[in-house]
Every structure is written in structure tokens, then in C-alpha cells.
Amino acid sequence: MEFFVNCNSSTLAPYTTPLDKQKAAHLYRRLGFSASNATIESVENSNATTLVNQLVDQALAAPTLATPTWADWTNANYPEDDDAARQIRREQLREIKIAYGNQMLGNNLRDRMSFFWSNHVVTQLSVYNCNPFLFKYLACLQRNALGNFKTLISEVGLTSAMLFYLDGAFNNGNNPNENYARELYELFTLGDGNGYTEEDIVETAKALTGYVERGEVGCTEVTFRADRFDAGPKTIFGQTGNWDYDDVHDILFDNRANEIGQFICKKLYEFFVHPDSDDASGNAQTIIDGLAATFVSNNFEIAPVLRQLFASQHFFDDTAIGVIIKSPFDLYFNFIKEMDFAYTDDLIVNIFDACEMIGQEAFEPVDVAGWQRDRQWINTNYMIGRWLTMEVFIDLLYGGNEEFFRALAMDLVGPANSNTSNPEIVVRAIVDKFTPKGLLTEQDFENAMDAFKTDDVPENYYSPDYVDGGLSYWMLAVSMEAPNQVYQLIRYLSRQPEFQLK
């Protein structure tokens, strides 16, 4: 795998060239979990700003997860029998995976962002072990995914998932727990050691006390107890008063606006544009500065930052395409969307299971800092796992659906070539669909051609002069070998380095 240096020197000025298929596909790979050929063709020649605004508006209007019947359950609602209770919890978790997986596949930017935030304001289900808490945490991320960042931070800090995960539920006035205060600054808003002191953490922990009422049984929503709140004076960022939870957020966002803007916009840049934002050969810091200025001037609204970034020359620069390694969820979800295959709930659950096998277990980031992404996804064990699991999914799609693969190829080559007898046209179209910038060398493409032609089809079969017992030469629309050839090519591509990139 070749790792790319960030030498993107383009600016945040709007990208005004009508989008070609490659640029449109780039937008959908980054902004969501990719898209079908029909979707890409429908937006080809669009103006980037107009399209991005439409997609952001759709994200802002997308409904959150439907509330399950068990959303307010406590442990008292589960059977006393441990095995029966565990089975119900497994069924509930499956329900969440199906519902959220469908929304990630269907909601493009909204749930690309909600998933991004789940790796920023991290919790781990295994710590709090309560599906209703998980549901409400995800609903909070969805509700605020493109909204106000200050509101997101304030609301997520009071979800029971977060209160249990970072010990806020045990943060008593007479014995403050500093875990959440530390991560609020270090990981959620400012960055490690940036603009706060140890004393700020100690004093902030005192101001966050009181959210410790945990009920009589497990899985009960945490609420505030005034008698467990530290009502004394606290000094945070040089300001002294009887500060409480809301005051902490007001003081933080009023006094450290620029630091927050830089920290969050750097993370957005590395997630959506390029994993390396510190490379001196590029223009990344200037872009981050511009995004941070937009963020702060819009009172920490997230949508204006995304509108500016996704419609920019910097985002559409050729050096920004195909330079991020797909996460496990990208790997599988992108493939399903690009194939435009009718997926089932069972397939979604299988994808969640496969992601867990190769390092990305949903709702269980590796630690409070989350998955570090990109190069983390590529090592010997994970790489082999990516190949093998992807081949399993390709095989599942092919079994009993052979003609779908022919139809896919005919769709990708377009009406004018739907019955082409030139295999290069077919291979080129499939390569361009499933890799962001094609294969690296001409020899790589020739190898893909060999994979498509397969050993049992004679070379002269592809010539218009071929005649054998009245059989015509090879044609995409009618040759019985074509579906299997498309399948074999996609299987081959799934092991190529370029397939791992977006």
C-alpha cells in the first residue's frame, strides 16, 4: 500500500467546474458511504455548491432512529433468568444494528457524521451494558450531527452512556471524579494540553458534580441530585464563581473558541480530506484556519463548515482523491452501495460482524480516544481478513444472482456499449467504479484484463472474426460467460491496493 503525501495546494474557493463522474463519486465516497452508478450519473455535470447544499439540507432534515419499545427499560424489565435476559439483550442489539445500519446506508452525510462523532465523543457499550442507553446516545449524535457543536457536547455529556463510561455518574461533590472533565478538554474540545491546566480540570470536575442519581436497579437513567453538587466557588480559565454544568460549557466556548475551532476542524479535515494535516508541502493548515474561522463565526454550527469544505477546490483537488484508507464499515458499505444490490437486514448484521473481525466493532471503539483510522486499518492480520471477508460477500451476492453481475456491467458501460464485444471497455468501466482513481500502472490494468478474460475463454473469442459452429463472438449482453467474468474481475479487484482507498 502506497501512502500519499499531502501536497494539496488548492484553496477553499468554490469548485466551479461541473462535476464529472470521478469528482461526483469522490464526493459521495467521502460525504456518505458511496453511491450507485445511477446516483452518480444523476448528479454528473452538477454545480458542486448546489449539490453540496442539497446534500447538507437532506442531512439536516433526516429523521433520527425510531424509538424502540424498550427505550426506557431498566434491568427490572428483563427476565430474572440470566440466559433469557441475555437473549433479549442480543435481540435488542441486533435491532439497533439493523436500524442504524440502514440509516448509515440511506442517510449519506447525516450518519457519516453521526458515526464520526461516535468516534470523537466516545463511549463503549461493554462498560455501561445497557441497550436503552446506547439508543439514546446514538439518537443524541444523530440529532446534533450537523447542528451546533456546543449543544452536541453539552447534550452528550448528560447521556447516561457517557455518564457511566467516564464516571460522571460517580462524580460527587464531596469526592469529585476528574475523568470526564479531563476528556472534555483533552479529547472532545481542545486537544491534549491545549489551553487548559490541571487546575482547570480539577475545578471543572467540581462544577460537573451532582449527576449521580442512578436509581435502585441497573440501566436506570442518571439524574441530578442537588445534595451531591459542589456548591462552592470554582475557578475555570481564570473565572471564579459557583459554576455548574451549563456554566462550564459557556466558559469553555466563550474563552477557548479559537482553540476549539482549530481542534475540531483539524479532525474534520483529516476525516474528510486527508489523514495528514501537518505536511508542510501542502496547504492543509491554511484550509483548517479557514474552516475554523467559519466555525467560530457561525457560533459553532457544523453545517456551514461542511458546506464550505465539500464545495471547495481543495476538496476536489486531484491530490485529495483516493488518499484515505477505507475503514471496515467503508469497505463493506461502499461496496453494497456501489453494487446497488438489494441488501437485507441479515446482510447488515453480517457486515457488523465482519467489521468486528477486522478491527472496528460498532459501539466499541478501542478506547476513549477512539479508532485512530487510516493506517490503523492495514496490517497483516486485518489485510488478509479484509480480502477474505470481502470475497465472502462477493460470493454471496453472486450466488443465485449471476445475471445481476451482467446487468451491473451493462449499466456501468452505458447504453452505447451495453452489447460491446470489447472487454477493455467493460474492465475499464468496472475498475473506474470500484477504485477512486483507477489502477496505478498500465500493467496493473492488464492484470485486471487477464482476470476478466479467464483461462477457459480463448483469446480469439473476443474477435468479430470468431466463428465456431454458428456461435457469435463474445458480447457483453449475450455471452454466457459474461456474468462470471464480471464476478471474477470484481473478486480480483477486491484484493488490489486501490480498492482499499476512497
Side-chain angles (χ1 to χ4, degrees), residues 232-247:
K234 306 103 178 170
T235 301
I236 303 172
F237 302 148
Q239 299 189 32
T240 303
N242 180 19
W243 309 130
D244 61 13
Y245 186 91
D246 290 337
D247 293 325

Side-chain angles (χ1 to χ4, degrees), residues 329 332-333 336 347-356 393:
F329 275 97
Y332 305 122
F333 279 174
I336 294 299
L347 181 62
I348 289 177
V349 174
N350 289 340
I351 287 174
F352 273 78
D353 292 342
C355 288
E356 180 178 350
F393 284 119

Side-chain angles (χ1 to χ4, degrees), residues 150 239 249-257 260 300:
K150 179 181 177 183
Q239 299 189 32
H249 294 81
D250 289 341
I251 293 168
L252 169 61
F253 281 81
D254 287 346
N255 288 270
R256 297 292 185 268
I260 294 170
F300 305 104

Side-chain angles (χ1 to χ4, degrees), residues 162-239:
M162 184 66 76
L163 285 166
F164 273 100
Y165 178 59
L166 288 179
D167 299 320
F170 308 96
N171 186 15
N172 291 286
N174 62 350
N175 186 24
N177 186 296
E178 297 171 9
N179 284 0
Y180 183 76
R182 183 175 303 280
E183 307 308 353
L184 173 65
Y185 296 149
E186 180 177 321
L187 293 176
F188 298 168
T189 59
L190 297 174
D192 189 8
N194 182 34
Y196 64 91
T197 66
E198 285 296 314
E199 187 62 24
D200 289 323
I201 292 172
V202 171
E203 295 292 282
T204 297
K206 295 177 183 177
L208 300 177
T209 54
Y211 291 90
V212 295
E213 180 52 60
R214 302 183 293 277
E216 297 296 321
V217 296
C219 207
T220 297
E221 288 288 327
V222 180
T223 56
F224 183 73
R225 279 188 59 170
D227 63 322
R228 299 293 181 88
F229 171 68
D230 184 332
K234 306 103 178 170
T235 301
I236 303 172
F237 302 148
Q239 299 189 32

Side-chain angles (χ1 to χ4, degrees), residues 380-391:
T380 303
N381 292 332
Y382 288 166
M383 197 68 252
I384 294 171
R386 288 164 82 98
W387 292 340
L388 295 178
T389 54
M390 180 53 67
E391 287 176 355

